[in-house]
Amino acid sequence: MPQSSSAVVMVAVGENRFADLNLAPWRTVSDSWGVDFLIIDRASREVPTRSDYNWRAFHKFDVLDLFSSYSRILRIDADTLPVPGSRSPFGLSEKAIWARREGGILDRTLAKKRRKEFSRVQEILGNVGHTDHYFNSGVVLCGRDDAEIFRLDLSDQELVELPGQFKEQSYLNWRIRQLNLPLRDFGPRFNRFPKDSFPKHKASILHYAGRQETKQEAMEADFLTFWSPLLGSQGRN
């Protein structure tokens, strides 16, 4: 039974190796923001399994079903950690979808790579026009009116044929362009990447995007800094 009209929803289908570190913090911060916290850990649809890509990423689209209960949802990846006492993203305008831009003028090399990735997806799914705001899908804030972005209208074969390194992310970018919906940039405050110079203590959400082998260690260090003194006897999750 929903306690709020909004929710933070973590998608962690399969093993969540970060659960010890981030579930208790996410529950605590969601409560301070006045929203519910939910975890999607079971798939509503089977997706293809191949060694060349983490196909479970497409289970992030399962969040669509929750908009029957919530008017606004912050969808997060499992490799995220909130910062205690931080600003809530739910105070941002409800007239747009919010996500963190990748590349741009600050990183033209990455921007070029993402544009190429997006162009390859358009070759398969159809041309929806140029984008200079290719966004990271690890943290996305969306309202019920725009929830159709999470409708996965692809067959298993079409999923397999999607090109590129970030198939789920590129498909979501394509879907928003297809529906011609307003999109605004979170910036590092609500989706701070490891390479960002933005101070961690001023961020709301730390996102350990990038190399898999360094994520656990990095999150562990930030958990000890921000959460161990607060959780006390609760310890980890």
Side-chain angles (χ1 to χ4, degrees), residues 85-151:
S86 58
R87 176 184 169 190
S88 169
F90 290 93
L92 297 172
S93 171
E94 298 183 17
K95 297 181 179 180
I97 300 161
W98 290 84
R100 172 76 190 274
R101 183 178 185 177
E102 289 195 352
I105 60 174
L106 298 179
D107 192 339
R108 296 184 185 278
T109 299
L110 179 60
K112 183 177 180 180
K113 289 180 179 179
R114 295 296 183 261
R115 285 197 300 270
K116 183 177 180 180
E117 182 110 358
F118 190 66
S119 295
R120 293 179 65 196
V121 168
Q122 290 193 84
E123 291 174 4
I124 300 294
L125 300 179
N127 190 345
V128 292
H130 170 75
T131 178
D132 59 359
H133 185 164
Y134 182 99
F135 64 85
N136 177 275
S137 66
V139 182
V140 178
L141 178 63
C142 180
R144 182 180 290 150
D145 289 345
D146 298 328
E148 281 296 305
I149 65 172
F150 297 120
R151 188 170 299 283

Side-chain angles (χ1 to χ4, degrees), residues 178-228:
Q178 180 200 36
L179 296 172
N180 194 30
L181 295 173
L183 176 66
R184 295 182 67 177
D185 187 5
F186 260 151
R189 180 178 298 277
F190 296 108
N191 188 353
R192 185 193 183 279
F193 300 148
K195 65 180 181 179
D196 288 330
S197 59
F198 190 82
K200 290 182 180 180
H201 70 277
K202 292 185 178 181
S204 292
I205 301 170
L206 308 178
H207 182 196
Y208 304 88
R211 297 171 56 189
Q212 294 292 328
E213 61 269 22
T214 63
K215 292 186 178 188
Q216 188 84 21
E217 182 180 355
M219 190 184 294
E220 175 99 25
D222 289 331
F223 176 88
L224 291 174
T225 298
F226 291 111
W227 287 102
S228 281

Side-chain angles (χ1 to χ4, degrees), residues 149-162:
I149 65 172
F150 297 120
R151 188 170 299 283
L152 187 56
D153 283 335
L154 296 178
S155 67
D156 287 355
Q157 184 60 38
E158 287 171 321
L159 285 178
V160 170
E161 290 177 353
L162 281 178

